[in-house]
Every structure is written in C-alpha cells, then in structure tokens.
Amino acid sequence: MTTHTQSPHFPTAPTKGPRVLLARLADAAAWLTPHCLLALVNRVAIAGIFWLSARTKVDGWFTISDSAYALFREEYKLPLLPPELAAQMATAAEHVFPILLVLGLFTRLSAVALLGMTLVIQVFVYPDAWPTHLSWAGLMLYLAGRGAGNVSLDRVLGIR
C-alpha cells in the first residue's frame, strides 16, 4: 500500500527555473497580506462607503433630512416599505453597521446586514450599478466568511 504525502491539487513548489521566483513572490505576497490586515482594510473601506452615504441623509448629528425622505419617496421607491420607514431604517443602518465594522464588533452580522442592503439597492434602486455593488459585495463576503481578524473587538471578546 502506498501513501501519498502530496495532495494532487497542490503541487510542491518548484525547485528550479523561473517558477521558483514566482513561487517566492507568491509566498512574500501571502506573508505581507495576512488575514488581519485584509480584514481591517475591508472593514474600514466598507464602513467609509456606508458612513459617507449615511451622513448625506441627515442634518446635524442625526435628524433625517427632508431631502432624504424625498429621495426615498421619489427616486428609490422601494416595494413593501413606506418611504419614511425605509429612509429611517437605511439611515440608522448606514450609521450603526459602519461603526461596528470599524470597531470589529459583530463584524459578520454587520457585513451580512450591509450586504443585504447592497442587494436591495442593486435589485430595486440602481440595477445598472452592478460593478460598484459587486466590488462592495466582495469586501463584505470576505468579512462575512472570515470574520474581523485579530485587530478587532470580536477577537478581544471571543466572538467568532
């Protein structure tokens, strides 16, 4: 009986030739981009997008503006939700979830919530903006699947 120590799906690194350099570069890239760094960058990037959007919907700290209500009544026109409720829910979500993401607290939940919001925006509001929404989804899927990383309150609190 023969045992295999190598996986057929992951060949061993080459020992000579130009592929050695590529393998070393790949190893260096993996070392320079650990999960904790990728997660932190993704968290801040998505948080920034949604936070800036949230701030356009309010006057002062947290008074939803008349223009935000008008936007939900006249442009967004979401099905099943009254525009006033949709404006309040979206504004609250765009403030709360980015803060949680930056802190790395309830990261998976926050990423999934904003991913759901992105899906609603894609399907019902701006269907032609799929390249933008897909790039957001990629960042949020990473966070939902891998979590916040070591630089987070999730890690400190033992939240997976």
Side-chain angles (χ1 to χ4, degrees):
M1 177 185 237
T2 305
T3 60
H4 297 286
T5 57
Q6 296 177 7
S7 168
H9 302 291
F10 299 105
T12 58
T15 57
K16 59 184 174 181
R19 291 178 41 202
V20 171
L21 176 61
L22 292 175
R24 287 186 182 153
L25 288 172
D27 289 342
W31 183 80
L32 290 169
T33 57
H35 166 63
C36 62
L37 176 62
L38 295 176
L40 179 62
V41 169
N42 287 1
R43 287 175 14 223
V44 172
I46 286 298
I49 291 166
F50 282 90
W51 179 262
L52 291 174
S53 176
R55 300 309 299 157
T56 67
K57 293 177 178 70
V58 295
D59 293 324
W61 173 239
F62 201 81
T63 302
I64 300 175
S65 66
D66 292 337
S67 62
Y69 285 118
L71 194 62
F72 278 84
R73 270 192 305 274
E74 298 163 17
E75 186 174 339
Y76 294 171
K77 300 179 184 175
L78 296 175
L80 306 176
L81 286 177
E84 290 74 20
L85 178 60
Q88 293 165 358
M89 290 174 61
T91 303
E94 288 180 334
H95 278 92
V96 171
F97 294 122
I99 291 170
L100 292 174
L101 283 176
V102 168
L103 295 173
L105 182 61
F106 306 119
T107 301
R108 292 174 194 261
L109 169 72
S110 299
V112 168
L114 292 176
L115 185 60
M117 192 172 185
T118 301
L119 182 62
V120 169
I121 295 166
Q122 173 59 40
V123 171
F124 297 110
V125 182
Y126 298 122
D128 292 337
W130 65 266
T132 297
H133 298 149
L134 185 59
S135 67
W136 299 355
L139 299 173
M140 290 181 280
L141 286 169
Y142 183 88
L143 293 172
R146 301 292 187 274
N150 292 339
V151 184
S152 68
L153 287 178
D154 284 347
R155 173 68 175 201
V156 170
L157 299 172
I159 299 171
R160 220 171 150 230

